[in-house]
Amino acid sequence: MSELPKRLFVTGTDTDAGKTVISALLTLALDAHYWKPIQSGVNTDSDTRDVRALTGLPQERFLPEAYRLTEPLSPHEAAAIDGVRIDLNAITPPALPQDAPLVVEGAGGLMVPLNDKALMLDLITRLGLPVVVVARSGLGTINHTLLTLAALRAAGAEVAGVIMNGPPHPANADAIAHFGRVPVLAQVPMLGDLSPQGLKNACARYIP
Ligand SMILES: Nc1ncnc2c1ncn2[C@@H]1O[C@H](COP(=O)(O)OP(=O)(O)OP(=O)(O)O)[C@@H](O)[C@H]1O
Ligand SMILES: [Mg+2]
């Protein structure tokens, strides 16, 4: 197992891959702050609120979003509907004590547009944090994950590793480690108990 970086960006192979649940585990594991720079669908969705509920950590660990968009759509479309343009220069890491651990959660996957020019991948390379890729455990994940890793490397991003999420399928994890030349940092099954205590137990059990 490789060591987790203390500051990292969590992306996924797709929306709903489990970035928020894994971010909650990583926030506990690193005793970190959590930051979701771009949140779509704020009237119903808040990953910050969800990670707070999942971890039970105090409010001060949760940094304010840079963009809070009304519609539950891709950021570029949701921003256009709200009449704003997402500016990558306006998305800077919040001021924290030096070396304070930080978990940053993206939206969707790498190729999600933020405006008419930039993708989530551009934000990742600007922030310059090592990237953890959350991948589904089941059929289809090898292709999605290897494509995601290839795109990260082509853009010059540092890949910290992959975390598999869902019913364990070790052959998929092995194939991703082998073809992706990447550490599979953890394999997290479906968790029956999403309370803070359940998350703490899962963190101790599954996160290195
Ligand atoms: N390991 C898990 N155990 C139990 N439930 C899970 C697990 N992983 C994901 N889920 C559930 O699946 C759904 C999608 O997961 P999650 O919200 O973490 O995805 P996401 O990648 O953050 O999505 P988005 O792109 O909207 O941010 C949620 O309802 C979450 O609670
Ligand atoms: Mg999420």
Side-chain angles (χ1 to χ4, degrees), residues 135-139 141 164-169 172-173 188:
R136 293 194 177 89
S137 56
L139 190 63
T141 196
M164 312 293 301
N165 187 42
H169 192 120
N172 285 344
V188 178

Side-chain angles (χ1 to χ4, degrees), residues 68-198:
R68 295 171 49 79
L69 308 168
T70 309
E71 299 299 328
L73 298 169
S74 170
H76 78 296
E77 188 181 2
I81 291 170
D82 283 349
V84 298
R85 185 174 196 280
I86 294 176
D87 174 5
L88 268 58
N89 293 317
I91 306 179
T92 47
L96 287 175
Q98 211 186 359
D99 295 334
L102 175 66
V103 172
V104 183
E105 181 181 343
L110 295 183
M111 298 293 175
V112 165
L114 303 183
N115 54 40
D116 60 337
K117 295 210 166 55
L119 302 170
M120 184 59 71
L121 182 56
D122 298 304
L123 176 61
I124 291 173
T125 54
R126 277 183 74 87
L127 293 175
L129 297 171
V131 181
V132 169
V133 177
V134 177
R136 293 194 177 89
S137 56
L139 190 63
T141 196
I142 298 174
N143 179 57
H144 288 149
T145 307
L146 296 182
L147 284 169
T148 296
L149 293 170
L152 283 167
R153 290 195 173 119
E158 182 188 341
V159 177
V162 173
I163 295 184
M164 312 293 301
N165 187 42
H169 192 120
N172 285 344
D174 290 347
I176 286 167
H178 173 70
F179 288 102
R181 292 168 287 110
V182 71
V184 173
L185 300 166
Q187 298 186 58
V188 178
M190 293 309 282
L191 304 173
D193 178 1
L194 292 174
S195 70
Q197 190 56 50

Side-chain angles (χ1 to χ4, degrees), residues 11-12 14-23 25 34 36 39 45 47 50 54 105-109 134 136 164-167 188-194:
T11 191
D14 195 0
T15 194
D16 275 348
K19 294 183 299 297
T20 298
V21 169
I22 298 301
S23 293
L25 288 171
Y34 170 88
K36 173 95 177 178
Q39 176 72 60
D45 304 330
D47 284 2
D50 291 350
L54 286 162
E105 181 181 343
V134 177
R136 293 194 177 89
M164 312 293 301
N165 187 42
V188 178
M190 293 309 282
L191 304 173
D193 178 1
L194 292 174

